Amino acid sequence: MRAFSYEKAGSPAEAAAAAAESPGAKFIAGGTNLLDLMKLQIEVPTHLIDVNGLGLDKIEPTSDGGLRIGALVRNTALAADERVRRDYAVLPRALLAGASGQLRNRATTAGNLLQRTRCPYFYDTAQPCNKRQPGSGCSAIGGFSRQLGVIGVSDACIATHPSDMAVAMRALDATVETVKPDRSSRSIPVADLHRLPGNTPHLETVLEKGELITAVTLPKPVGGTQIYRKVRDRASYAFALISVAAIVQRDGTGRIALGGVAPKPWRVEKAEAELPRGAKAAAAAMLAGAKPTDENAFKLPLVERTLDAVLAQAKG
Amino acid sequence: MPTPRELEMNRRDLMVVAGACAAISAAATGTRAQPAPVGKPVLSEVSFSVNGRRHQLELDTRTTLLDALREHLHLTGTKKGCDHGQCGACTVLVDGQRVNSCLTLAIMNQGAEVTTIEGLGGVDNLHPMQAAFVKHDGFQCGYCTPGQICSGVAVLEEIKAGIPSHVSADLTGAMTATEAEIRERMSGNICRCGAYSNIVEAMIEVAGG
Ligand SMILES: Cc1cc2nc3c(=O)[nH]c(=O)nc-3n(C[C@H](O)[C@H](O)[C@H](O)COP(=O)(O)OP(=O)(O)OC[C@H]3O[C@@H](n4cnc5c(N)ncnc54)[C@H](O)[C@@H]3O)c2cc1C
Ligand code: SF4
């Protein structure tokens, strides 16, 4: 790990201002992704701003009947919250399908959204990787790509976003709230938080330098049967090959978001019109234009079959 | 003849020296393999309590809680396995919750109450979970065991507190310490010897099943 200086921020706005002042600064929340990457010198911040203890760890009702989840709410606390379990079941299901009990006790809502890819070449500093070292090339294209993305990818990068929680947040139409270094704040639909790689896979979100996530809000509950189905190489404690977050209403309409297939939680609202016609039609519409590699082409039928199982489960 | 306590200290001192030698040789090869750090090491003060004893430490900001426990407080019961949050050998309790001590900086734990395997119980006063691991042969080489036991103690508390898991059929109902629940909740603790089935038996006994 490279040496760094450390400060505990006094308030969210101060944290944002401090991060803008120091070019090498990063926020640290749970630390479960950042420290892992710092040990490998994939992340080399020169200054860490600890955003724990700023009162961002509460879950509160919003005026329009939704919930406001503080950025520092731990994954365990979020999955255990009674309102979340009752009204937004897809979210705890996704959270509990990810990582381990120990990690979830530390991992935070914002940190989970901003965790970086698990592409094996991103982690292997001896290999070219455009995301880690812009312009160096992509080792995954033509390499070991079984885990990687099939849609929304580019010729520069085919990495996936590894979060389970983010997939559920996408199905729930969550919104990210931030504060910027100039103390202004803004709301970003979770759909717009992550960028597609294009030619700049190292730019992963629309957040500006120093912009701090303060909360994620969920709109009023939409009911329906809420399911998160994750398919992986082990029954527990493994990242998704693919996953399906579904909110299915009695009349067969609903919302679907996919994990493990794209650089961001993948949802195609237009494709949801196909849901009443079944998994085949809906999956084809969601994955239209997919560009799989030989090694990960299996993800396309896997999405269709998993979606089929999810729709059957929703029917009961 | 040395008392058991003295023996224990000697063994610990030996471990510390061995650890230091390993660190020196790693640093020596490290300078060749990688560029020297740009910034100078930064020291920072932190205080937290471990097993009921308060400690004030001045540490390099990079020191993880795991390294603070092992290298600075010489509590070598907590083990370093992968050092990347994947194996669970470093699991300790912080303010009653299990965490991977390798993925949290010591300085982030100002004011925390840390419990390690040494704090759960010792040879003369085994914690019920330690006793059950012995009875059910919940280990072979023993390296993952302190993490398994800390995790096991916390898992039963999480079940009591009604925190759901991936295998809980009903998200909102009461949780019970079934075999399936224990296996899922313990999946963050890897055992290279494969003592899993005995660990599950030990935990079920402690849970009162
Ligand atoms: C072994 C292992 C297995 C895992 N398995 C899974 C899995 O199956 N599914 C899954 O979804 N995840 C998995 N994870 C990842 C885990 O969910 C993330 O590490 C965790 O959610 C990150 O949260 P954190 O608070 O620790 O983030 P940190 O490590 O503290 O931060 C991550 C990033 O977010 C930034 N950041 C943090 N907070 C803010 C904020 N408020 N505003 C702006 N930026 C911020 C940091 O600067 C950093 O860049 C796994 C991790 C490990 C180590
Ligand atoms: S897929 Fe992306 S993260 Fe993986 S090697 Fe290519 S550029 Fe790097």
Side-chain angles (χ1 to χ4, degrees):
Chain A
M1 215 187 288
R2 299 276 178 90
F4 56 85
S5 48
Y6 170 88
E7 77 178 283
K8 249 187 134 66
S11 72
E14 281 172 34
E21 264 165 36
S22 159
K26 281 225 130 206
F27 301 122
I28 186 160
T32 61
N33 190 227
L34 186 57
L35 289 173
D36 185 6
L37 294 170
M38 283 169 65
K39 288 180 184 192
L40 298 164
Q41 298 194 7
I42 294 167
E43 295 271 17
V44 286
T46 52
H47 184 61
L48 283 188
I49 301 167
D50 187 341
V51 293
N52 288 280
L54 301 182
L56 299 176
D57 56 353
K58 297 178 186 67
I59 306 176
E60 298 159 326
T62 60
S63 53
D64 59 359
L67 278 185
R68 184 170 189 275
I69 302 158
L72 272 284
V73 171
R74 309 285 163 184
N75 288 177
T76 299
L78 184 54
D81 184 90
E82 268 179 43
R83 295 158 293 185
V84 175
R85 284 197 257 174
R86 185 187 62 219
D87 298 331
Y88 305 95
V90 67
L91 182 55
R93 284 292 180 205
L95 284 161
L96 296 169
S100 67
Q102 291 97 309
L103 289 161
R104 292 192 298 270
N105 280 345
R106 279 278 150 155
T108 65
T109 308
N112 192 317
L113 283 175
L114 299 180
Q115 64 173 293
R116 305 199 67 190
T117 188
R118 293 281 161 169
C119 170
Y121 302 102
F122 176 73
Y123 266 79
D124 182 351
T125 51
Q127 307 273 352
C129 165
N130 286 326
K131 190 186 272 302
R132 183 168 29 75
Q133 211 178 343
S136 62
C138 171
S139 304
I141 297 174
F144 180 75
S145 59
R146 179 171 177 274
Q147 317 250 10
L148 301 181
V150 296
I151 194 159
V153 295
S154 72
D155 292 341
C157 179
I158 59 170
T160 60
H161 191 268
S163 168
D164 291 294
M165 182 196 79
V167 183
M169 295 276 196
R170 180 70 181 89
L172 290 165
D173 276 333
T175 304
V176 174
E177 289 179 15
T178 70
V179 59
K180 291 199 213 179
D182 66 2
R183 294 182 170 261
S184 66
S185 53
R186 64 167 169 160
S187 297
I188 308 165
V190 89
D192 301 335
L193 177 67
H194 299 102
R195 300 172 184 242
L196 293 181
N199 285 323
T200 53
H202 60 293
L203 302 176
E204 296 174 347
T205 70
V206 298
L207 296 180
E208 294 166 17
K209 172 76 189 153
E211 191 168 1
L212 177 80
I213 298 183
T214 50
V216 176
T217 54
L218 302 179
K220 217 169 86 189
V222 294
T225 301
Q226 305 199 1
I227 295 168
Y228 187 77
R229 180 76 69 96
K230 177 175 178 178
V231 184
R232 45 185 158 172
D233 286 332
R234 288 193 295 261
S236 183
Y237 202 28
F239 284 93
L241 289 170
I242 67 111
S243 69
V244 174
I247 302 174
V248 186
Q249 305 294 344
R250 269 182 197 201
D251 60 5
T253 62
R255 306 175 183 181
I256 304 291
L258 303 177
V261 297
K264 59 193 282 184
W266 196 251
R267 180 168 168 206
V268 181
E269 272 89 341
K270 268 194 308 196
E272 289 166 3
E274 302 287 335
L275 271 179
R277 295 177 44 206
K280 196 176 174 71
M286 290 189 87
L287 296 173
K291 275 190 173 170
T293 65
D294 289 347
E295 281 194 5
N296 69 17
F298 74 92
K299 290 193 175 190
L300 302 181
L302 190 57
V303 165
E304 184 193 314
R305 287 175 201 161
T306 309
L307 180 57
D308 194 45
V310 163
L311 294 178
Q313 186 186 337
K315 263 191 203 151
Chain B
M1 219 180 99
T3 63
R5 176 89 199 137
E6 281 167 338
L7 263 181
E8 191 192 355
M9 290 305 291
N10 288 341
R11 241 181 72 197
R12 268 191 204 154
D13 291 347
L14 201 71
M15 296 278 290
V16 172
V17 174
C21 292
I24 290 163
S25 60
T29 47
T31 42
R32 246 176 295 137
Q34 286 156 350
V38 187
K40 284 208 183 104
V42 182
L43 295 178
S44 187
E45 287 207 349
V46 64
S47 69
F48 45 75
S49 85
V50 183
N51 303 329
R53 245 186 85 188
R54 201 148 186 85
H55 295 277
Q56 174 95 28
L57 296 168
E58 192 181 41
L59 299 172
D60 185 316
T61 51
R62 291 171 286 188
T63 312
T64 58
L65 179 58
L66 172 62
D67 286 341
L69 292 171
R70 288 182 56 86
E71 310 300 333
H72 295 266
L73 301 175
H74 309 312
L75 291 167
T76 51
T78 307
K79 298 292 184 264
K80 182 180 280 192
C82 69
D83 210 22
H84 286 276
Q86 298 172 2
C87 76
C90 69
T91 304
V92 298
L93 308 178
V94 175
D95 296 328
Q97 288 195 325
R98 55 182 172 143
V99 307
N100 299 102
S101 61
C102 76
L103 284 188
T104 178
L105 294 171
I107 50 173
M108 293 171 73
N109 290 276
Q110 173 62 36
E113 308 255 339
V114 181
T115 305
T116 67
I117 189 71
E118 291 93 341
L120 283 181
V123 182
D124 301 324
N125 59 334
L126 289 179
H127 183 282
M129 191 64 79
Q130 292 172 318
F133 266 62
V134 173
K135 178 177 162 192
H136 290 276
D137 224 354
F139 50 86
Q140 285 179 42
C141 81
Y143 199 79
C144 71
T145 314
Q148 299 278 1
I149 290 177
C150 286
S151 212
V153 168
V155 159
L156 297 188
E157 290 303 318
E158 288 164 13
I159 291 174
K160 265 194 220 150
I163 295 171
S165 87
H166 174 62
V167 299
S168 310
D170 179 3
L171 266 187
T172 52
M175 303 295 150
T176 44
T178 61
E179 178 176 337
E181 284 283 357
I182 288 173
R183 284 185 181 276
E184 163 59 25
R185 289 170 194 262
M186 291 293 289
S187 69
N189 290 85
I190 311 295
C191 172
R192 181 72 171 72
C193 305
Y196 298 111
S197 55
N198 296 355
I199 293 172
V200 173
E201 279 175 24
M203 286 182 64
I204 287 190
E205 178 173 302
V206 177

